[in-house]
Amino acid sequence: ADVQGYSDKQIKSLDLLNPSRELIHEGKLYRHSDTTLNTTWSELNAFLFDNYFVLCKTDKSSKTSSSGL
């Protein structure tokens, strides 16, 4: 698993690659900024597994173009 900012040891401790893990639901989640000067919403990806709830930010630099290339 290649997750920016996390070591392989930390990823393996979640046991997400175990074939017995079950992805129950995934979707977008919007979190309101806690600052009083900026009232923006951050988009997060949410994954509910049978053993963990995982929130991930999208890496904007890795998004593909609208043409899919």
Side-chain angles (χ1 to χ4, degrees), residues 41-54:
W41 292 85
S42 299
E43 182 179 281
L44 301 172
N45 294 308
F47 301 92
L48 178 61
F49 292 92
D50 59 338
N51 62 338
Y52 287 102
F53 179 62
V54 179

Side-chain angles (χ1 to χ4, degrees), residues 1-64:
D2 180 28
V3 179
Q4 184 178 2
Y6 292 92
S7 70
D8 285 341
K9 185 176 179 182
Q10 290 171 310
I11 297 300
K12 289 177 185 173
S13 69
L14 292 175
D15 202 24
L16 296 178
L17 299 178
N18 185 327
S20 67
R21 290 278 72 94
E22 182 180 351
L23 177 62
I24 297 170
H25 189 76
E26 67 177 290
K28 301 280 185 202
L29 183 79
Y30 295 91
R31 182 176 66 179
H32 188 264
S33 176
D34 213 11
T35 63
T36 56
L37 298 175
N38 190 2
T39 56
T40 60
W41 292 85
S42 299
E43 182 179 281
L44 301 172
N45 294 308
F47 301 92
L48 178 61
F49 292 92
D50 59 338
N51 62 338
Y52 287 102
F53 179 62
V54 179
L55 292 175
C56 303
K57 289 183 182 179
T58 302
D59 183 7
K60 293 180 179 155
S61 64
S62 68
K63 285 187 177 178
T64 59

